[in-house]
Amino acid sequence: MAESGKTQRRSKVRCAIYTRKSTDEGLEQAFNSLDAQREACAAFIQSQRHEGWCVLPGLYDDGGYSGGSLERPALKRLLADIEAGQIDVVVVYKVDRLTRALSDFAKLVDIFDCRGVSFVSITQQFNTTTSMGRLTLNVLLSFAQFEREVIGERVRDKIAASKKKGMWMGGMPPLGYDVKERKLVVNDAEARTVGDIYRRYLALKSVRVLADDLAAAGIRSKRRVRPDGTEYGGQKLSRGALYLMLQNQIYRGEITHKGHSYSGDHPTIIERPLWDEVQAVLAANRIERTTGAGTRHPSLLTGLLFDDKGDRLTPTYSTKKGTRYRYYVSTGLVTGAKTGCSNSMRLPAGNLEGLVIDRLRAFLDDPTALLDALTNELHSGIGRTELIKRSRQLAEELQTKAPTVVKTLLIRLLCHVNIKPDCIEINLSRHRLAAMLVGQAVDQTMQDLEVKCHAHDIVTLAVPARLKRVGREMRMLVDTADHHTTANSSLLRIIARAHHVQTCLIQNTELTVHDIARTERVSAAYIYTLLRLPWLAPDITTAIVNGRQPQNLNAMTLMRRASRLPASWAEQRKLFGFR
């Protein structure tokens, strides 16, 4: 009896019925397509009752889900139950109800095989345990995938053809329009709001200011109603939404498709003159953002600077006691995605920009190097003397012009700056440089920077430099004996403060160090350390004033080492890293 009961338990086969329909049309009916599939599958399982097959009570119905993806709730529940060992056979009406993609089917078969689960399609008899059965199944799935792709192509072709005729092909209507009988019609109240937004932008010329102005005026986004009757929308208009609105060609009475625009069959809200003026302001602002025009402290190498892995470095800054310190940092340090990463960089912006500009000027001032680089690019008949003269004028502009102008010149040269472990590598476009020197027009937008130059079109300049770890970051140390650097404002401020405190104590004999510490809101120990700095070797002070101090000598290092300042000038030079 025990052996008979064991055989009976083994013969029980737990069957799960899976049904699917691509659209939700008709699912509200009392007996729909899912019910028909389930009924047919249940009848087939009943016919296999002699083999021990039985229907599990759980329902795995995906109504309104495409077979081109595995992102279906009922299918996920089915797979979870298979992983839990609760299912022996999966039964479907047709194989394409389970999936229409061969790649997805391969994943499902792997899951079924791992758990010993069989797969049955009641209208397409095959056995997946044999090679012929798998071949038959793959053929059927190939046709199912082909059918899905053909249907997709037909839908895309119909949408493209309809949009070329200016027809509205669905979606959320923008502010200013409603949809009636599958066509866009003007909502008069919202249309007046759209026109007002365009005119306000034309007056303010700033999307950020426009967003604040609209928020203060109580102008909100379009209110919409979901199919279940709930309302949503009516929020403050963000800058992103305003940018899209100000460039939405639907307001011009046009329909767009894949970068092309066609005359639409809906009314126009924004007339051509107003539209053109707004687009002109948007374009001008886009160029200003690229070049940094209007920025108090523009970063010359924004979008042009990369590390040795090819990742872009981002400009940033910090402010201390009213002074702004600019840097170029690895993107991971800005986003926090790579905190503590061994190759993260944080480079002083002013020093780095000075090195790049100085190297470019040295190249443009060197006739031999310039002519060697442009030998094959000059076909306009311009004389060498004139070429050298224009090159030196360009070098002068890099030194004397405003930062925004300098940045525009770098963009026009397609300048890419790469930070290597032992040098700064500056790559220029050879034909762009030649075109500028012979007076040809050159695009000054950032779009061309995304285009990689051919190897023969690149002029490479190098500045010897090295990276050194300081804390958790990498900083660039440059041999200042060969390159000019600007004075460090923090060092100058400390030196000046030390001499000021010394002068105060000399002029007022009743004044004490503690009195000054209370006035300056610092500790007396800090003032005592500060008073050692006037006794620095004269050549050390002169080097700091002229910006010729060692690269790793900063304000913090100076104060820390000044606490043990030796009397010997030679020992001081050694302490602070002077040669």
Side-chain angles (χ1 to χ4, degrees):
M1 290 296 292
E3 183 66 25
S4 175
K6 185 176 181 180
T7 303
Q8 185 177 4
R9 284 195 298 272
R10 285 181 177 175
S11 63
K12 184 177 180 180
V13 180
R14 298 163 296 178
C15 302
I17 299 174
Y18 177 77
T19 62
R20 184 186 65 80
K21 188 176 185 297
S22 298
T23 66
D24 54 8
E25 183 178 356
L27 293 181
E28 73 283 355
Q29 299 175 2
F31 187 81
N32 54 47
S33 174
L34 300 180
D35 297 324
Q37 294 178 45
R38 191 183 308 106
E39 186 177 272
C41 292
F44 179 83
I45 295 172
Q46 182 68 16
S47 70
Q48 303 297 316
R49 184 176 53 183
H50 62 281
E51 297 288 344
W53 289 30
C54 62
V55 179
L56 292 174
L59 300 180
Y60 303 96
D61 301 331
D62 277 323
Y65 289 91
S66 168
S69 169
L70 296 181
E71 294 300 319
R72 293 171 260 160
L75 179 61
K76 289 183 177 181
R77 285 191 288 105
L78 176 70
L79 296 178
D81 291 345
I82 289 175
E83 292 289 344
Q86 300 174 5
I87 297 173
D88 298 318
V89 177
V90 175
V91 182
V92 297
Y93 184 72
K94 283 186 177 182
V95 66
D96 63 1
R97 296 301 88 193
L98 185 64
T99 179
R100 281 180 176 266
L102 278 171
S103 58
D104 290 341
F105 180 72
K107 299 176 185 177
L108 294 175
V109 168
D110 287 341
I111 296 174
F112 291 171
D113 289 346
C114 289
R115 294 297 178 180
V117 174
S118 300
F119 170 67
V120 174
S121 171
I122 65 173
T123 58
Q124 300 157 325
Q125 292 296 318
F126 46 78
N127 185 353
T128 59
T129 61
T130 66
S131 59
M132 183 58 68
R134 289 180 181 275
L135 174 62
T136 304
L137 185 57
N138 284 334
V139 170
L140 291 173
L141 279 170
S142 296
F143 280 103
Q145 180 169 325
F146 171 73
E147 181 185 6
R148 178 173 63 87
E149 292 174 355
V150 168
I151 292 173
E153 290 176 359
R154 290 172 181 169
V155 171
R156 288 191 293 271
D157 291 344
K158 179 182 179 182
I159 291 175
S162 300
K163 288 195 171 185
K164 287 181 181 179
K165 294 182 178 180
M167 300 174 61
W168 170 255
M169 292 306 296
M172 304 298 291
L175 182 70
Y177 290 100
D178 293 325
V179 177
K180 291 184 180 179
E181 298 178 357
R182 302 180 66 178
K183 290 186 177 182
L184 289 177
V185 295
V186 174
N187 181 315
D188 293 332
E190 293 180 358
R192 287 191 293 270
T193 300
V194 171
D196 183 49
I197 290 174
Y198 269 69
R199 285 185 287 272
R200 288 190 187 209
Y201 175 71
L202 206 56
L204 299 172
K205 294 181 170 53
S206 168
V207 171
R208 179 183 58 80
V209 177
L210 175 64
D212 295 338
D213 184 62
L214 295 176
I219 296 177
R220 300 291 187 265
S221 63
K222 186 180 182 69
R223 296 196 65 84
R224 308 178 190 274
V225 181
R226 292 191 176 93
D228 60 3
T230 59
E231 291 188 355
Y232 65 102
Q235 305 295 321
K236 292 182 180 179
L237 289 165
S238 65
R239 283 184 289 173
L242 289 173
Y243 273 116
L244 292 175
M245 181 181 296
L246 293 171
Q247 300 175 83
N248 193 341
Q249 297 187 42
I250 287 178
Y251 295 130
R252 277 286 307 123
E254 299 174 353
I255 293 292
T256 59
H257 182 65
K258 294 187 179 298
H260 300 282
S261 61
Y262 307 96
S263 179
D265 60 1
H266 60 276
T268 297
I269 290 180
I270 303 299
E271 298 301 327
R272 171 63 68 178
L274 178 57
W275 170 268
D276 290 341
E277 289 184 63
V278 168
Q279 302 315 306
V281 174
L282 285 170
N285 287 345
R286 195 175 299 119
I287 293 175
E288 288 184 2
R289 286 194 300 273
T290 298
T291 60
T295 306
R296 289 184 59 190
H297 305 279
S299 296
L300 300 183
L301 302 180
T302 302
L304 312 176
L305 189 61
F306 302 85
D307 62 17
D308 58 346
K309 298 293 192 302
D311 296 329
R312 197 186 302 271
L313 297 182
T314 303
T316 185
Y317 69 91
S318 62
T319 304
K320 184 176 181 181
K321 296 182 179 180
T323 302
R324 179 187 291 244
Y325 301 91
R326 296 189 301 112
Y327 302 94
Y328 291 101
V329 302
S330 299
T331 304
L333 291 178
V334 178
T335 62
K338 298 180 180 180
T339 303
C341 185
S342 60
N343 61 350
S344 296
M345 296 183 185
R346 184 172 182 266
L347 309 177
N351 185 34
L352 178 59
E353 292 167 356
L355 291 169
V356 172
I357 297 302
D358 286 350
R359 184 64 184 91
L360 287 172
R361 293 184 63 246
F363 168 69
L364 294 171
D365 274 333
D366 186 347
T368 302
L370 180 70
L371 294 174
D372 286 345
L374 302 181
T375 299
N376 298 324
E377 295 291 333
L378 302 175
H379 305 290
S380 64
I382 184 174
R384 292 191 174 189
T385 303
E386 182 65 19
L387 181 71
I388 294 171
K389 179 181 177 182
R390 293 183 181 180
S391 175
R392 287 175 173 169
Q393 288 176 350
L394 181 58
E396 188 68 18
E397 290 180 6
L398 289 175
Q399 183 181 30
T400 59
K401 293 293 185 180
T404 53
V405 177
V406 174
K407 184 172 182 179
T408 300
L409 292 174
L410 297 179
I411 293 172
R412 293 170 65 188
L413 288 170
L414 292 183
C415 180
H416 282 70
V417 180
N418 301 316
I419 305 299
K420 304 292 184 180
D422 58 349
C423 71
I424 304 169
E425 186 180 88
I426 307 168
N427 294 320
L428 308 176
S429 170
R430 196 185 307 270
H431 80 273
R432 284 294 187 98
L433 176 59
M436 288 178 63
L437 294 179
V438 300
Q440 296 178 3
V442 177
D443 188 9
Q444 63 178 24
T445 68
M446 291 288 284
Q447 296 176 352
D448 287 348
L449 291 176
E450 304 300 327
V451 180
K452 299 296 184 184
C453 296
H454 296 292
H456 69 273
D457 186 42
I458 296 177
V459 178
T460 301
L461 311 175
V463 180
R466 59 190 176 90
L467 295 174
K468 182 178 179 181
R469 176 153 297 283
V470 179
R472 293 186 302 174
E473 304 168 0
M474 299 297 291
R475 298 197 181 187
M476 184 167 46
L477 301 180
V478 182
D479 185 2
T480 56
D482 299 326
H483 299 283
H484 172 72
T485 59
T486 57
N488 186 309
S489 58
S490 297
L491 287 172
L492 294 179
R493 193 160 42 247
I494 287 179
I495 296 294
R497 191 177 190 183
H499 283 274
H500 172 71
V501 170
Q502 184 187 54
T503 302
C504 290
L505 290 172
I506 293 173
Q507 292 178 350
N508 187 354
T509 56
E510 295 182 359
L511 194 64
T512 67
V513 168
H514 291 276
D515 293 335
I516 294 178
R518 283 192 295 271
T519 303
E520 298 284 339
R521 296 183 178 180
V522 294
S523 66
Y526 178 84
I527 298 297
Y528 279 119
T529 301
L530 200 65
L531 286 172
R532 296 174 181 268
L533 297 182
W535 306 107
L536 282 172
D539 57 312
I540 294 179
T541 303
T542 301
I544 291 174
V545 171
N546 293 328
R548 296 292 182 177
Q549 72 280 352
Q551 185 66 28
N552 59 349
L553 179 60
N554 53 33
M556 184 179 296
T557 304
L558 179 66
M559 288 297 293
R560 185 170 63 249
R561 295 179 182 177
S563 62
R564 57 181 189 277
L565 186 69
S568 170
W569 288 352
E571 291 297 324
Q572 290 181 12
R573 297 186 189 99
K574 183 178 179 180
L575 177 65
F576 292 111
F578 287 87
R579 294 182 179 179

